[in-house]
Amino acid sequence: PRAGDARREAYEPPPALFGMQLAPDTLPADVPEAAARLAASGRLRDALSLLYRGALSELVHKRGVQLLASHTEGEAVRLARMAYFAVLVDAWRRCAYAKRLPSKDEVEQLTKKYSETFA
């Protein structure tokens, strides 16, 4: 095997990215259902955070996307090559950095799309 092959096989998903724990056992069994409950109780930022964390975990643990702690959110979007993830990251950036909470409808749509994307 070539050196590049060994590196691909040796990829270990990071335990956290962007300050979020990614180990599957740190997430609810049903991420979109848990996010929907959070949104219904008015905890929109928490719901969005859970969807983002769940998507990152899905990408590195189940989809084989080799994200590293050194990647930016923009690089993660490019590497994921997934329209849903790009929309989710955009919503998260507006919430986390611009302090613009998503609407309940936006979180509900992201929750529904999460289920469709990661079914």
Side-chain angles (χ1 to χ4, degrees), residues 76-115:
V77 167
R78 280 193 299 283
L79 289 167
R81 291 181 294 181
M82 184 180 290
Y84 170 78
F85 188 66
V87 171
L88 179 61
V89 170
D90 182 57
W92 175 250
R93 283 176 168 164
R94 282 185 276 119
C95 181
Y97 306 124
K99 306 292 185 220
R100 290 186 3 225
L101 271 180
S103 68
K104 189 173 179 185
D105 183 57
E106 183 179 10
V107 174
E108 288 170 355
Q109 288 300 314
L110 287 167
T111 299
K112 181 180 177 203
K113 289 286 187 192
Y114 184 103
S115 297

PDB file of all heavy atoms in Angstrom, residues 76-115:
ATOM      1  N   ALA A  76     -15.606  22.275   5.906  1.00  0.00           N
ATOM      2  CA  ALA A  76     -16.470  21.131   6.227  1.00  0.00           C
ATOM      3  C   ALA A  76     -17.630  21.054   5.239  1.00  0.00           C
ATOM      4  O   ALA A  76     -17.976  19.967   4.763  1.00  0.00           O
ATOM      5  CB  ALA A  76     -16.982  21.235   7.664  1.00  0.00           C
ATOM      6  N   VAL A  77     -18.210  22.199   4.901  1.00  0.00           N
ATOM      7  CA  VAL A  77     -19.305  22.230   3.924  1.00  0.00           C
ATOM      8  C   VAL A  77     -18.810  21.721   2.573  1.00  0.00           C
ATOM      9  O   VAL A  77     -19.471  20.896   1.932  1.00  0.00           O
ATOM     10  CB  VAL A  77     -19.891  23.656   3.804  1.00  0.00           C
ATOM     11  CG1 VAL A  77     -20.794  23.784   2.581  1.00  0.00           C
ATOM     12  CG2 VAL A  77     -20.644  24.023   5.072  1.00  0.00           C
ATOM     13  N   ARG A  78     -17.645  22.194   2.145  1.00  0.00           N
ATOM     14  CA  ARG A  78     -17.100  21.745   0.852  1.00  0.00           C
ATOM     15  C   ARG A  78     -16.815  20.243   0.859  1.00  0.00           C
ATOM     16  O   ARG A  78     -17.108  19.543  -0.107  1.00  0.00           O
ATOM     17  CB  ARG A  78     -15.833  22.521   0.501  1.00  0.00           C
ATOM     18  CG  ARG A  78     -16.119  23.897  -0.075  1.00  0.00           C
ATOM     19  CD  ARG A  78     -14.906  24.543  -0.716  1.00  0.00           C
ATOM     20  NE  ARG A  78     -13.799  24.752   0.208  1.00  0.00           N
ATOM     21  CZ  ARG A  78     -13.728  25.725   1.117  1.00  0.00           C
ATOM     22  NH1 ARG A  78     -14.718  26.577   1.241  1.00  0.00           N
ATOM     23  NH2 ARG A  78     -12.682  25.849   1.898  1.00  0.00           N
ATOM     24  N   LEU A  79     -16.232  19.741   1.931  1.00  0.00           N
ATOM     25  CA  LEU A  79     -15.902  18.312   2.002  1.00  0.00           C
ATOM     26  C   LEU A  79     -17.146  17.433   2.102  1.00  0.00           C
ATOM     27  O   LEU A  79     -17.164  16.321   1.576  1.00  0.00           O
ATOM     28  CB  LEU A  79     -14.973  18.047   3.193  1.00  0.00           C
ATOM     29  CG  LEU A  79     -13.549  18.579   3.026  1.00  0.00           C
ATOM     30  CD1 LEU A  79     -12.807  18.556   4.355  1.00  0.00           C
ATOM     31  CD2 LEU A  79     -12.795  17.777   1.979  1.00  0.00           C
ATOM     32  N   ALA A  80     -18.170  17.931   2.750  1.00  0.00           N
ATOM     33  CA  ALA A  80     -19.404  17.146   2.902  1.00  0.00           C
ATOM     34  C   ALA A  80     -20.140  17.012   1.573  1.00  0.00           C
ATOM     35  O   ALA A  80     -20.798  16.001   1.324  1.00  0.00           O
ATOM     36  CB  ALA A  80     -20.312  17.794   3.941  1.00  0.00           C
ATOM     37  N   ARG A  81     -20.040  18.033   0.730  1.00  0.00           N
ATOM     38  CA  ARG A  81     -20.723  18.030  -0.571  1.00  0.00           C
ATOM     39  C   ARG A  81     -22.184  17.608  -0.439  1.00  0.00           C
ATOM     40  O   ARG A  81     -22.654  16.682  -1.101  1.00  0.00           O
ATOM     41  CB  ARG A  81     -19.998  17.142  -1.568  1.00  0.00           C
ATOM     42  CG  ARG A  81     -18.659  17.712  -1.972  1.00  0.00           C
ATOM     43  CD  ARG A  81     -17.969  16.861  -2.959  1.00  0.00           C
ATOM     44  NE  ARG A  81     -17.629  15.598  -2.305  1.00  0.00           N
ATOM     45  CZ  ARG A  81     -16.992  14.611  -2.877  1.00  0.00           C
ATOM     46  NH1 ARG A  81     -16.623  14.707  -4.109  1.00  0.00           N
ATOM     47  NH2 ARG A  81     -16.709  13.514  -2.214  1.00  0.00           N
ATOM     48  N   MET A  82     -22.892  18.301   0.445  1.00  0.00           N
ATOM     49  CA  MET A  82     -24.268  17.944   0.748  1.00  0.00           C
ATOM     50  C   MET A  82     -25.059  19.251   0.932  1.00  0.00           C
ATOM     51  O   MET A  82     -24.746  20.044   1.821  1.00  0.00           O
ATOM     52  CB  MET A  82     -24.255  17.122   2.041  1.00  0.00           C
ATOM     53  CG  MET A  82     -25.561  16.574   2.480  1.00  0.00           C
ATOM     54  SD  MET A  82     -25.358  15.629   4.018  1.00  0.00           S
ATOM     55  CE  MET A  82     -24.450  14.211   3.449  1.00  0.00           C
ATOM     56  N   ALA A  83     -26.056  19.462   0.103  1.00  0.00           N
ATOM     57  CA  ALA A  83     -26.831  20.705   0.154  1.00  0.00           C
ATOM     58  C   ALA A  83     -27.434  20.934   1.541  1.00  0.00           C
ATOM     59  O   ALA A  83     -27.393  22.053   2.063  1.00  0.00           O
ATOM     60  CB  ALA A  83     -27.921  20.686  -0.903  1.00  0.00           C
ATOM     61  N   TYR A  84     -27.981  19.893   2.137  1.00  0.00           N
ATOM     62  CA  TYR A  84     -28.587  20.052   3.464  1.00  0.00           C
ATOM     63  C   TYR A  84     -27.573  20.574   4.474  1.00  0.00           C
ATOM     64  O   TYR A  84     -27.876  21.478   5.252  1.00  0.00           O
ATOM     65  CB  TYR A  84     -29.176  18.728   3.974  1.00  0.00           C
ATOM     66  CG  TYR A  84     -29.586  18.826   5.431  1.00  0.00           C
ATOM     67  CD1 TYR A  84     -30.775  19.452   5.773  1.00  0.00           C
ATOM     68  CD2 TYR A  84     -28.775  18.333   6.443  1.00  0.00           C
ATOM     69  CE1 TYR A  84     -31.154  19.585   7.104  1.00  0.00           C
ATOM     70  CE2 TYR A  84     -29.140  18.466   7.770  1.00  0.00           C
ATOM     71  CZ  TYR A  84     -30.329  19.089   8.096  1.00  0.00           C
ATOM     72  OH  TYR A  84     -30.695  19.229   9.412  1.00  0.00           O
ATOM     73  N   PHE A  85     -26.388  20.021   4.462  1.00  0.00           N
ATOM     74  CA  PHE A  85     -25.379  20.435   5.430  1.00  0.00           C
ATOM     75  C   PHE A  85     -25.006  21.898   5.221  1.00  0.00           C
ATOM     76  O   PHE A  85     -24.819  22.641   6.185  1.00  0.00           O
ATOM     77  CB  PHE A  85     -24.144  19.529   5.343  1.00  0.00           C
ATOM     78  CG  PHE A  85     -23.142  19.778   6.421  1.00  0.00           C
ATOM     79  CD1 PHE A  85     -23.439  19.515   7.752  1.00  0.00           C
ATOM     80  CD2 PHE A  85     -21.891  20.283   6.116  1.00  0.00           C
ATOM     81  CE1 PHE A  85     -22.512  19.762   8.756  1.00  0.00           C
ATOM     82  CE2 PHE A  85     -20.953  20.532   7.104  1.00  0.00           C
ATOM     83  CZ  PHE A  85     -21.263  20.264   8.431  1.00  0.00           C
ATOM     84  N   ALA A  86     -24.926  22.345   3.982  1.00  0.00           N
ATOM     85  CA  ALA A  86     -24.610  23.747   3.699  1.00  0.00           C
ATOM     86  C   ALA A  86     -25.687  24.669   4.278  1.00  0.00           C
ATOM     87  O   ALA A  86     -25.384  25.699   4.889  1.00  0.00           O
ATOM     88  CB  ALA A  86     -24.467  23.968   2.195  1.00  0.00           C
ATOM     89  N   VAL A  87     -26.950  24.307   4.123  1.00  0.00           N
ATOM     90  CA  VAL A  87     -28.060  25.108   4.661  1.00  0.00           C
ATOM     91  C   VAL A  87     -28.020  25.102   6.187  1.00  0.00           C
ATOM     92  O   VAL A  87     -28.211  26.138   6.831  1.00  0.00           O
ATOM     93  CB  VAL A  87     -29.414  24.566   4.137  1.00  0.00           C
ATOM     94  CG1 VAL A  87     -30.593  25.223   4.840  1.00  0.00           C
ATOM     95  CG2 VAL A  87     -29.507  24.766   2.628  1.00  0.00           C
ATOM     96  N   LEU A  88     -27.744  23.950   6.775  1.00  0.00           N
ATOM     97  CA  LEU A  88     -27.668  23.831   8.229  1.00  0.00           C
ATOM     98  C   LEU A  88     -26.529  24.684   8.797  1.00  0.00           C
ATOM     99  O   LEU A  88     -26.709  25.409   9.777  1.00  0.00           O
ATOM    100  CB  LEU A  88     -27.485  22.362   8.617  1.00  0.00           C
ATOM    101  CG  LEU A  88     -27.371  22.043  10.102  1.00  0.00           C
ATOM    102  CD1 LEU A  88     -28.626  22.450  10.854  1.00  0.00           C
ATOM    103  CD2 LEU A  88     -27.094  20.556  10.284  1.00  0.00           C
ATOM    104  N   VAL A  89     -25.369  24.617   8.169  1.00  0.00           N
ATOM    105  CA  VAL A  89     -24.220  25.406   8.631  1.00  0.00           C
ATOM    106  C   VAL A  89     -24.525  26.896   8.497  1.00  0.00           C
ATOM    107  O   VAL A  89     -24.195  27.689   9.391  1.00  0.00           O
ATOM    108  CB  VAL A  89     -22.922  25.017   7.894  1.00  0.00           C
ATOM    109  CG1 VAL A  89     -21.799  26.000   8.188  1.00  0.00           C
ATOM    110  CG2 VAL A  89     -22.503  23.601   8.288  1.00  0.00           C
ATOM    111  N   ASP A  90     -25.180  27.288   7.431  1.00  0.00           N
ATOM    112  CA  ASP A  90     -25.544  28.698   7.260  1.00  0.00           C
ATOM    113  C   ASP A  90     -26.463  29.150   8.394  1.00  0.00           C
ATOM    114  O   ASP A  90     -26.264  30.218   8.981  1.00  0.00           O
ATOM    115  CB  ASP A  90     -26.212  28.919   5.902  1.00  0.00           C
ATOM    116  CG  ASP A  90     -26.562  30.365   5.677  1.00  0.00           C
ATOM    117  OD1 ASP A  90     -25.650  31.227   5.730  1.00  0.00           O
ATOM    118  OD2 ASP A  90     -27.755  30.654   5.462  1.00  0.00           O
ATOM    119  N   ALA A  91     -27.457  28.335   8.719  1.00  0.00           N
ATOM    120  CA  ALA A  91     -28.370  28.672   9.817  1.00  0.00           C
ATOM    121  C   ALA A  91     -27.611  28.747  11.142  1.00  0.00           C
ATOM    122  O   ALA A  91     -27.843  29.650  11.950  1.00  0.00           O
ATOM    123  CB  ALA A  91     -29.490  27.635   9.898  1.00  0.00           C
ATOM    124  N   TRP A  92     -26.687  27.807  11.348  1.00  0.00           N
ATOM    125  CA  TRP A  92     -25.908  27.808  12.584  1.00  0.00           C
ATOM    126  C   TRP A  92     -25.025  29.055  12.672  1.00  0.00           C
ATOM    127  O   TRP A  92     -24.933  29.687  13.729  1.00  0.00           O
ATOM    128  CB  TRP A  92     -25.060  26.544  12.698  1.00  0.00           C
ATOM    129  CG  TRP A  92     -24.172  26.616  13.900  1.00  0.00           C
ATOM    130  CD1 TRP A  92     -22.821  26.751  13.920  1.00  0.00           C
ATOM    131  CD2 TRP A  92     -24.583  26.605  15.266  1.00  0.00           C
ATOM    132  NE1 TRP A  92     -22.375  26.831  15.211  1.00  0.00           N
ATOM    133  CE2 TRP A  92     -23.432  26.742  16.064  1.00  0.00           C
ATOM    134  CE3 TRP A  92     -25.828  26.501  15.900  1.00  0.00           C
ATOM    135  CZ2 TRP A  92     -23.481  26.766  17.454  1.00  0.00           C
ATOM    136  CZ3 TRP A  92     -25.880  26.522  17.286  1.00  0.00           C
ATOM    137  CH2 TRP A  92     -24.717  26.657  18.047  1.00  0.00           C
ATOM    138  N   ARG A  93     -24.389  29.412  11.580  1.00  0.00           N
ATOM    139  CA  ARG A  93     -23.520  30.603  11.592  1.00  0.00           C
ATOM    140  C   ARG A  93     -24.320  31.865  11.934  1.00  0.00           C
ATOM    141  O   ARG A  93     -23.870  32.700  12.702  1.00  0.00           O
ATOM    142  CB  ARG A  93     -22.842  30.791  10.231  1.00  0.00           C
ATOM    143  CG  ARG A  93     -21.692  29.854   9.990  1.00  0.00           C
ATOM    144  CD  ARG A  93     -21.199  30.080   8.582  1.00  0.00           C
ATOM    145  NE  ARG A  93     -19.926  29.448   8.333  1.00  0.00           N
ATOM    146  CZ  ARG A  93     -19.441  29.245   7.129  1.00  0.00           C
ATOM    147  NH1 ARG A  93     -20.119  29.637   6.063  1.00  0.00           N
ATOM    148  NH2 ARG A  93     -18.282  28.660   6.957  1.00  0.00           N
ATOM    149  N   ARG A  94     -25.501  31.999  11.327  1.00  0.00           N
ATOM    150  CA  ARG A  94     -26.341  33.166  11.629  1.00  0.00           C
ATOM    151  C   ARG A  94     -26.711  33.188  13.103  1.00  0.00           C
ATOM    152  O   ARG A  94     -26.727  34.240  13.736  1.00  0.00           O
ATOM    153  CB  ARG A  94     -27.604  33.158  10.769  1.00  0.00           C
ATOM    154  CG  ARG A  94     -27.357  33.619   9.350  1.00  0.00           C
ATOM    155  CD  ARG A  94     -28.635  33.713   8.532  1.00  0.00           C
ATOM    156  NE  ARG A  94     -28.956  32.386   7.991  1.00  0.00           N
ATOM    157  CZ  ARG A  94     -30.060  31.713   8.254  1.00  0.00           C
ATOM    158  NH1 ARG A  94     -30.997  32.205   9.018  1.00  0.00           N
ATOM    159  NH2 ARG A  94     -30.248  30.520   7.718  1.00  0.00           N
ATOM    160  N   CYS A  95     -26.990  32.031  13.657  1.00  0.00           N
ATOM    161  CA  CYS A  95     -27.392  31.936  15.054  1.00  0.00           C
ATOM    162  C   CYS A  95     -26.209  32.153  15.996  1.00  0.00           C
ATOM    163  O   CYS A  95     -26.281  32.956  16.927  1.00  0.00           O
ATOM    164  CB  CYS A  95     -28.023  30.568  15.299  1.00  0.00           C
ATOM    165  SG  CYS A  95     -28.609  30.302  16.979  1.00  0.00           S
ATOM    166  N   ALA A  96     -25.125  31.444  15.752  1.00  0.00           N
ATOM    167  CA  ALA A  96     -23.986  31.461  16.674  1.00  0.00           C
ATOM    168  C   ALA A  96     -23.173  32.743  16.601  1.00  0.00           C
ATOM    169  O   ALA A  96     -22.728  33.250  17.633  1.00  0.00           O
ATOM    170  CB  ALA A  96     -23.086  30.256  16.403  1.00  0.00           C
ATOM    171  N   TYR A  97     -22.983  33.265  15.408  1.00  0.00           N
ATOM    172  CA  TYR A  97     -22.082  34.401  15.248  1.00  0.00           C
ATOM    173  C   TYR A  97     -22.805  35.734  15.076  1.00  0.00           C
ATOM    174  O   TYR A  97     -22.359  36.754  15.571  1.00  0.00           O
ATOM    175  CB  TYR A  97     -21.119  34.170  14.082  1.00  0.00           C
ATOM    176  CG  TYR A  97     -20.378  32.859  14.215  1.00  0.00           C
ATOM    177  CD1 TYR A  97     -20.413  31.908  13.217  1.00  0.00           C
ATOM    178  CD2 TYR A  97     -19.676  32.555  15.381  1.00  0.00           C
ATOM    179  CE1 TYR A  97     -19.751  30.693  13.350  1.00  0.00           C
ATOM    180  CE2 TYR A  97     -19.016  31.341  15.519  1.00  0.00           C
ATOM    181  CZ  TYR A  97     -19.055  30.422  14.501  1.00  0.00           C
ATOM    182  OH  TYR A  97     -18.410  29.222  14.648  1.00  0.00           O
ATOM    183  N   ALA A  98     -23.913  35.729  14.350  1.00  0.00           N
ATOM    184  CA  ALA A  98     -24.661  36.970  14.138  1.00  0.00           C
ATOM    185  C   ALA A  98     -25.751  37.145  15.200  1.00  0.00           C
ATOM    186  O   ALA A  98     -26.450  38.141  15.200  1.00  0.00           O
ATOM    187  CB  ALA A  98     -25.271  36.982  12.741  1.00  0.00           C
ATOM    188  N   LYS A  99     -25.894  36.142  16.059  1.00  0.00           N
ATOM    189  CA  LYS A  99     -26.888  36.178  17.140  1.00  0.00           C
ATOM    190  C   LYS A  99     -28.307  36.346  16.595  1.00  0.00           C
ATOM    191  O   LYS A  99     -29.149  36.995  17.202  1.00  0.00           O
ATOM    192  CB  LYS A  99     -26.582  37.301  18.149  1.00  0.00           C
ATOM    193  CG  LYS A  99     -25.180  37.250  18.716  1.00  0.00           C
ATOM    194  CD  LYS A  99     -24.988  36.040  19.597  1.00  0.00           C
ATOM    195  CE  LYS A  99     -23.620  36.069  20.264  1.00  0.00           C
ATOM    196  NZ  LYS A  99     -22.973  34.803  20.326  1.00  0.00           N
ATOM    197  N   ARG A 100     -28.555  35.744  15.414  1.00  0.00           N
ATOM    198  CA  ARG A 100     -29.895  35.780  14.829  1.00  0.00           C
ATOM    199  C   ARG A 100     -30.522  34.406  14.983  1.00  0.00           C
ATOM    200  O   ARG A 100     -30.154  33.463  14.279  1.00  0.00           O
ATOM    201  CB  ARG A 100     -29.821  36.187  13.356  1.00  0.00           C
ATOM    202  CG  ARG A 100     -29.429  37.654  13.222  1.00  0.00           C
ATOM    203  CD  ARG A 100     -29.458  38.221  11.820  1.00  0.00           C
ATOM    204  NE  ARG A 100     -29.917  37.377  10.748  1.00  0.00           N
ATOM    205  CZ  ARG A 100     -29.316  37.275   9.572  1.00  0.00           C
ATOM    206  NH1 ARG A 100     -28.202  37.932   9.327  1.00  0.00           N
ATOM    207  NH2 ARG A 100     -29.813  36.501   8.643  1.00  0.00           N
ATOM    208  N   LEU A 101     -31.460  34.311  15.909  1.00  0.00           N
ATOM    209  CA  LEU A 101     -32.125  33.029  16.142  1.00  0.00           C
ATOM    210  C   LEU A 101     -32.936  32.625  14.912  1.00  0.00           C
ATOM    211  O   LEU A 101     -33.571  33.471  14.284  1.00  0.00           O
ATOM    212  CB  LEU A 101     -33.081  33.131  17.326  1.00  0.00           C
ATOM    213  CG  LEU A 101     -32.530  32.830  18.699  1.00  0.00           C
ATOM    214  CD1 LEU A 101     -33.630  32.975  19.739  1.00  0.00           C
ATOM    215  CD2 LEU A 101     -31.907  31.459  18.784  1.00  0.00           C
ATOM    216  N   PRO A 102     -32.925  31.338  14.602  1.00  0.00           N
ATOM    217  CA  PRO A 102     -33.763  30.875  13.498  1.00  0.00           C
ATOM    218  C   PRO A 102     -35.229  30.922  13.938  1.00  0.00           C
ATOM    219  O   PRO A 102     -35.528  30.922  15.133  1.00  0.00           O
ATOM    220  CB  PRO A 102     -33.304  29.436  13.285  1.00  0.00           C
ATOM    221  CG  PRO A 102     -32.822  29.011  14.635  1.00  0.00           C
ATOM    222  CD  PRO A 102     -32.209  30.246  15.252  1.00  0.00           C
ATOM    223  N   SER A 103     -36.125  30.955  12.975  1.00  0.00           N
ATOM    224  CA  SER A 103     -37.550  30.875  13.308  1.00  0.00           C
ATOM    225  C   SER A 103     -37.879  29.422  13.663  1.00  0.00           C
ATOM    226  O   SER A 103     -37.143  28.492  13.315  1.00  0.00           O
ATOM    227  CB  SER A 103     -38.398  31.317  12.114  1.00  0.00           C
ATOM    228  OG  SER A 103     -38.286  30.364  11.060  1.00  0.00           O
ATOM    229  N   LYS A 104     -38.985  29.257  14.345  1.00  0.00           N
ATOM    230  CA  LYS A 104     -39.428  27.899  14.681  1.00  0.00           C
ATOM    231  C   LYS A 104     -39.664  27.104  13.399  1.00  0.00           C
ATOM    232  O   LYS A 104     -39.312  25.934  13.303  1.00  0.00           O
ATOM    233  CB  LYS A 104     -40.702  27.968  15.530  1.00  0.00           C
ATOM    234  CG  LYS A 104     -41.117  26.645  16.110  1.00  0.00           C
ATOM    235  CD  LYS A 104     -42.270  26.809  17.075  1.00  0.00           C
ATOM    236  CE  LYS A 104     -42.685  25.472  17.628  1.00  0.00           C
ATOM    237  NZ  LYS A 104     -43.872  25.584  18.480  1.00  0.00           N
ATOM    238  N   ASP A 105     -40.232  27.770  12.384  1.00  0.00           N
ATOM    239  CA  ASP A 105     -40.486  27.115  11.101  1.00  0.00           C
ATOM    240  C   ASP A 105     -39.180  26.650  10.448  1.00  0.00           C
ATOM    241  O   ASP A 105     -39.106  25.535   9.919  1.00  0.00           O
ATOM    242  CB  ASP A 105     -41.240  28.066  10.166  1.00  0.00           C
ATOM    243  CG  ASP A 105     -41.595  27.402   8.853  1.00  0.00           C
ATOM    244  OD1 ASP A 105     -42.274  26.350   8.883  1.00  0.00           O
ATOM    245  OD2 ASP A 105     -41.175  27.917   7.794  1.00  0.00           O
ATOM    246  N   GLU A 106     -38.136  27.502  10.502  1.00  0.00           N
ATOM    247  CA  GLU A 106     -36.853  27.125   9.910  1.00  0.00           C
ATOM    248  C   GLU A 106     -36.278  25.895  10.616  1.00  0.00           C
ATOM    249  O   GLU A 106     -35.792  24.963   9.968  1.00  0.00           O
ATOM    250  CB  GLU A 106     -35.864  28.286   9.993  1.00  0.00           C
ATOM    251  CG  GLU A 106     -34.531  27.989   9.337  1.00  0.00           C
ATOM    252  CD  GLU A 106     -33.538  29.141   9.392  1.00  0.00           C
ATOM    253  OE1 GLU A 106     -33.779  30.135  10.093  1.00  0.00           O
ATOM    254  OE2 GLU A 106     -32.499  29.019   8.709  1.00  0.00           O
ATOM    255  N   VAL A 107     -36.349  25.869  11.935  1.00  0.00           N
ATOM    256  CA  VAL A 107     -35.832  24.712  12.686  1.00  0.00           C
ATOM    257  C   VAL A 107     -36.643  23.466  12.373  1.00  0.00           C
ATOM    258  O   VAL A 107     -36.095  22.378  12.192  1.00  0.00           O
ATOM    259  CB  VAL A 107     -35.791  25.008  14.206  1.00  0.00           C
ATOM    260  CG1 VAL A 107     -35.405  23.756  14.974  1.00  0.00           C
ATOM    261  CG2 VAL A 107     -34.816  26.131  14.503  1.00  0.00           C
ATOM    262  N   GLU A 108     -37.966  23.624  12.262  1.00  0.00           N
ATOM    263  CA  GLU A 108     -38.811  22.468  11.919  1.00  0.00           C
ATOM    264  C   GLU A 108     -38.456  21.924  10.538  1.00  0.00           C
ATOM    265  O   GLU A 108     -38.390  20.710  10.338  1.00  0.00           O
ATOM    266  CB  GLU A 108     -40.291  22.854  11.992  1.00  0.00           C
ATOM    267  CG  GLU A 108     -40.763  23.033  13.418  1.00  0.00           C
ATOM    268  CD  GLU A 108     -42.163  23.641  13.523  1.00  0.00           C
ATOM    269  OE1 GLU A 108     -42.752  24.018  12.474  1.00  0.00           O
ATOM    270  OE2 GLU A 108     -42.661  23.754  14.656  1.00  0.00           O
ATOM    271  N   GLN A 109     -38.205  22.809   9.575  1.00  0.00           N
ATOM    272  CA  GLN A 109     -37.811  22.381   8.227  1.00  0.00           C
ATOM    273  C   GLN A 109     -36.455  21.677   8.253  1.00  0.00           C
ATOM    274  O   GLN A 109     -36.277  20.638   7.603  1.00  0.00           O
ATOM    275  CB  GLN A 109     -37.767  23.581   7.271  1.00  0.00           C
ATOM    276  CG  GLN A 109     -39.136  24.116   6.917  1.00  0.00           C
ATOM    277  CD  GLN A 109     -40.000  23.067   6.234  1.00  0.00           C
ATOM    278  OE1 GLN A 109     -39.559  22.361   5.334  1.00  0.00           O
ATOM    279  NE2 GLN A 109     -41.233  22.938   6.683  1.00  0.00           N
ATOM    280  N   LEU A 110     -35.507  22.223   9.010  1.00  0.00           N
ATOM    281  CA  LEU A 110     -34.182  21.592   9.122  1.00  0.00           C
ATOM    282  C   LEU A 110     -34.283  20.231   9.796  1.00  0.00           C
ATOM    283  O   LEU A 110     -33.561  19.302   9.439  1.00  0.00           O
ATOM    284  CB  LEU A 110     -33.215  22.506   9.885  1.00  0.00           C
ATOM    285  CG  LEU A 110     -32.737  23.735   9.109  1.00  0.00           C
ATOM    286  CD1 LEU A 110     -32.052  24.725  10.037  1.00  0.00           C
ATOM    287  CD2 LEU A 110     -31.809  23.325   7.973  1.00  0.00           C
ATOM    288  N   THR A 111     -35.171  20.120  10.753  1.00  0.00           N
ATOM    289  CA  THR A 111     -35.374  18.836  11.444  1.00  0.00           C
ATOM    290  C   THR A 111     -35.938  17.798  10.476  1.00  0.00           C
ATOM    291  O   THR A 111     -35.456  16.661  10.422  1.00  0.00           O
ATOM    292  CB  THR A 111     -36.316  19.036  12.644  1.00  0.00           C
ATOM    293  OG1 THR A 111     -35.712  19.961  13.547  1.00  0.00           O
ATOM    294  CG2 THR A 111     -36.584  17.728  13.371  1.00  0.00           C
ATOM    295  N   LYS A 112     -36.924  18.203   9.696  1.00  0.00           N
ATOM    296  CA  LYS A 112     -37.525  17.296   8.713  1.00  0.00           C
ATOM    297  C   LYS A 112     -36.483  16.866   7.672  1.00  0.00           C
ATOM    298  O   LYS A 112     -36.367  15.686   7.335  1.00  0.00           O
ATOM    299  CB  LYS A 112     -38.708  17.991   8.047  1.00  0.00           C
ATOM    300  CG  LYS A 112     -39.420  17.137   7.040  1.00  0.00           C
ATOM    301  CD  LYS A 112     -40.578  17.886   6.409  1.00  0.00           C
ATOM    302  CE  LYS A 112     -41.221  17.029   5.345  1.00  0.00           C
ATOM    303  NZ  LYS A 112     -41.953  17.784   4.359  1.00  0.00           N
ATOM    304  N   LYS A 113     -35.712  17.839   7.180  1.00  0.00           N
ATOM    305  CA  LYS A 113     -34.690  17.535   6.167  1.00  0.00           C
ATOM    306  C   LYS A 113     -33.578  16.653   6.740  1.00  0.00           C
ATOM    307  O   LYS A 113     -32.995  15.842   6.028  1.00  0.00           O
ATOM    308  CB  LYS A 113     -34.090  18.822   5.584  1.00  0.00           C
ATOM    309  CG  LYS A 113     -35.040  19.567   4.698  1.00  0.00           C
ATOM    310  CD  LYS A 113     -35.187  18.867   3.373  1.00  0.00           C
ATOM    311  CE  LYS A 113     -35.996  19.693   2.419  1.00  0.00           C
ATOM    312  NZ  LYS A 113     -36.382  18.931   1.237  1.00  0.00           N
ATOM    313  N   TYR A 114     -33.275  16.835   8.038  1.00  0.00           N
ATOM    314  CA  TYR A 114     -32.269  15.971   8.684  1.00  0.00           C
ATOM    315  C   TYR A 114     -32.712  14.515   8.572  1.00  0.00           C
ATOM    316  O   TYR A 114     -31.932  13.648   8.189  1.00  0.00           O
ATOM    317  CB  TYR A 114     -32.116  16.369  10.154  1.00  0.00           C
ATOM    318  CG  TYR A 114     -31.034  15.608  10.894  1.00  0.00           C
ATOM    319  CD1 TYR A 114     -29.809  16.204  11.172  1.00  0.00           C
ATOM    320  CD2 TYR A 114     -31.228  14.297  11.323  1.00  0.00           C
ATOM    321  CE1 TYR A 114     -28.811  15.525  11.846  1.00  0.00           C
ATOM    322  CE2 TYR A 114     -30.240  13.603  12.004  1.00  0.00           C
ATOM    323  CZ  TYR A 114     -29.039  14.224  12.267  1.00  0.00           C
ATOM    324  OH  TYR A 114     -28.049  13.529  12.935  1.00  0.00           O
ATOM    325  N   SER A 115     -33.979  14.268   8.900  1.00  0.00           N
ATOM    326  CA  SER A 115     -34.503  12.895   8.828  1.00  0.00           C
ATOM    327  C   SER A 115     -34.405  12.331   7.421  1.00  0.00           C
ATOM    328  O   SER A 115     -34.048  11.165   7.229  1.00  0.00           O
ATOM    329  CB  SER A 115     -35.970  12.865   9.282  1.00  0.00           C
ATOM    330  OG  SER A 115     -36.059  13.246  10.628  1.00  0.00           O
TER     331      SER A 115
END
